[in-house]
Amino acid sequence: MNFTKLIENYAKKLRWYDISLLKLTVFFATLFLITVWTGFRNLVLGFEWYWYLALTVIFMIPLMKKLLSD
């Protein structure tokens, strides 16, 4: 079984709140790393704000295409 099929099968088992919980888990894990690991904090805060905005827009485009498609 290839990796893509494995992920698709796993994703079908998830409910809407499982996706939300996954997002919150990643968010709080990132906050934890920023708090306890100085090197990670310096790396994350070393980028200018516009890089984060650019990445947000780039990653949002496929989601918006899927959301707005017929």
Side-chain angles (χ1 to χ4, degrees):
M1 181 179 257
N2 67 26
F3 185 71
T4 306
K5 285 284 190 189
L6 184 67
I7 296 298
E8 287 175 0
N9 289 338
Y10 179 70
K12 288 178 184 177
K13 295 179 184 178
L14 297 178
R15 303 257 189 205
W16 66 269
Y17 54 85
D18 293 327
I19 302 296
S20 298
L21 290 173
L22 178 62
K23 292 178 194 177
L24 284 172
T25 301
V26 170
F27 176 74
F28 285 115
T30 304
L31 289 179
F32 170 76
L33 286 174
I34 288 172
T35 304
V36 300
W37 187 8
T38 307
F40 186 73
R41 177 176 53 235
N42 293 338
L43 174 70
V44 170
L45 296 178
F47 290 104
E48 294 293 329
W49 64 269
Y50 52 82
W51 287 110
Y52 294 114
L53 179 62
L55 288 171
T56 300
V57 171
I58 289 168
F59 291 138
M60 183 178 55
I61 290 171
L63 296 172
M64 294 304 292
K65 281 183 178 179
K66 187 177 282 191
L67 179 69
L68 299 175
S69 68
D70 292 335

